[in-house]
Amino acid sequence: MDYSLPWLDALKWDENGLIPAIAQEATSGRVIMFAWMNRESLQETVATGTAVYWSRSRQRLWHKGEESGHVQKVRSLRADCDGDVLLLLVDQIGGIACHTGRESCFFLELQGDRWVPTDPTLKDPKDIYAK
């Protein structure tokens, strides 16, 4: 990573102008989510202090919590040594990061030859996305 470049230019964006972003709960250290960012979403994240991602399925900016209310307040933003992955240390408002109503999107554990949900559902998704 070339530290002499302006911060956005120093990052390595993929062929679609995206960079992987990992969200980690600042207090517990638990990885709670993975998403993509583009330049605009990263700039918006820095400007607002809340996580904004790029939704590949919707092809638009996605303000985390815009529908659920489960906003991510960004405490710290880091890049890896190659400048091709971001790590957001966040306070997950409401304690739910996953659209399934769980604390983390990483709730499936390989047990033998099956993926098994190991984390409880904290809130029914029907109640989160009832709008």
Side-chain angles (χ1 to χ4, degrees):
M1 187 159 142
D2 185 347
Y3 307 124
S4 67
L5 293 172
W7 70 279
L8 278 170
D9 296 334
L11 296 173
K12 293 181 184 165
W13 305 90
D14 74 7
E15 63 279 357
N16 297 309
L18 301 175
I19 191 167
I22 300 164
Q24 180 179 27
E25 218 314 310
T27 306
S28 69
R30 183 165 188 198
V31 173
I32 56 174
M33 212 181 84
F34 167 82
W36 294 94
M37 294 182 124
N38 64 8
R39 289 174 85 90
E40 185 181 1
S41 67
L42 183 52
Q43 287 174 305
E44 184 83 7
T45 296
V46 170
T48 64
T50 59
V52 180
Y53 300 104
W54 176 254
S55 172
R56 294 180 304 161
S57 60
R58 294 176 246 175
Q59 289 293 296
R60 67 171 179 81
L61 293 181
W62 163 41
H63 294 253
K64 176 66 176 145
E66 65 190 25
E67 293 178 40
S68 67
H70 299 137
V71 174
Q72 292 175 344
K73 300 242 182 223
V74 179
R75 281 200 200 181
S76 174
L77 183 61
R78 295 173 181 249
D80 76 328
C81 57
D82 295 323
D84 61 1
V85 177
L86 298 175
L87 176 65
L88 289 76
L89 296 176
V90 302
D91 291 321
Q92 179 62 60
I93 306 305
I96 297 173
C98 187
H99 75 281
T100 65
R102 291 177 172 88
E103 175 188 14
S104 171
C105 294
F106 297 95
F107 62 87
L108 295 169
E109 181 178 29
L110 185 60
Q111 294 181 4
D113 62 352
R114 297 219 183 331
W115 291 104
V116 178
T118 57
D119 295 4
T121 300
L122 302 176
K123 191 168 187 181
D124 188 322
K126 288 181 240 152
D127 295 332
I128 296 172
Y129 301 102
K131 299 174 188 176

